[in-house]
Amino acid sequence: MAENEIAALLDLLDDENRGVAAAARGRLISIGDRALPALEGAAGGDEARRRVRARRAVDEILSAGAERAFADRLSAGEIDLEEAALGL
């Protein structure tokens, strides 16, 4: 994955066409952890539209990572479901 592709996708997050921006966000989410530093930078940037869209992408990537980690621990028998339910 080239950094220039991530940068180009970040530019597209600010596109007025929601379809273009959604496609860019989807691609950044599919890139995942490798896109996080750039997305986090954009989430703290000056452009409001890009900031909001980048924050949503960061949230989705982090959420997916947490779900994968939970599923991995669950399948490895490291989590007791009753204990986990009580923790909710």
Side-chain angles (χ1 to χ4, degrees):
M1 167 59 44
E3 295 300 317
N4 58 351
E5 180 184 358
I6 292 173
L9 290 166
L10 287 174
D11 287 340
L12 291 174
L13 283 181
D14 202 31
D15 200 285
E16 291 181 16
N17 181 320
R18 288 181 180 214
V20 170
R25 187 169 61 89
R27 177 67 179 125
L28 287 161
I29 290 168
S30 73
I31 293 168
D33 291 342
R34 292 174 294 165
L36 275 176
L39 280 166
E40 289 169 337
D46 293 334
E47 294 104 13
R49 186 176 12 218
R50 183 184 304 189
R51 186 173 58 241
V52 169
R53 291 173 177 170
R55 172 51 42 204
R56 287 182 184 151
V58 167
D59 290 346
E60 287 190 45
I61 291 168
L62 294 177
S63 177
E67 288 175 16
R68 278 192 308 275
F70 180 78
D72 290 346
R73 290 186 65 205
L74 183 61
S75 66
E78 297 175 13
I79 297 176
D80 181 292
L81 285 179
E82 290 178 12
E83 185 179 320
L86 292 174
L88 295 175

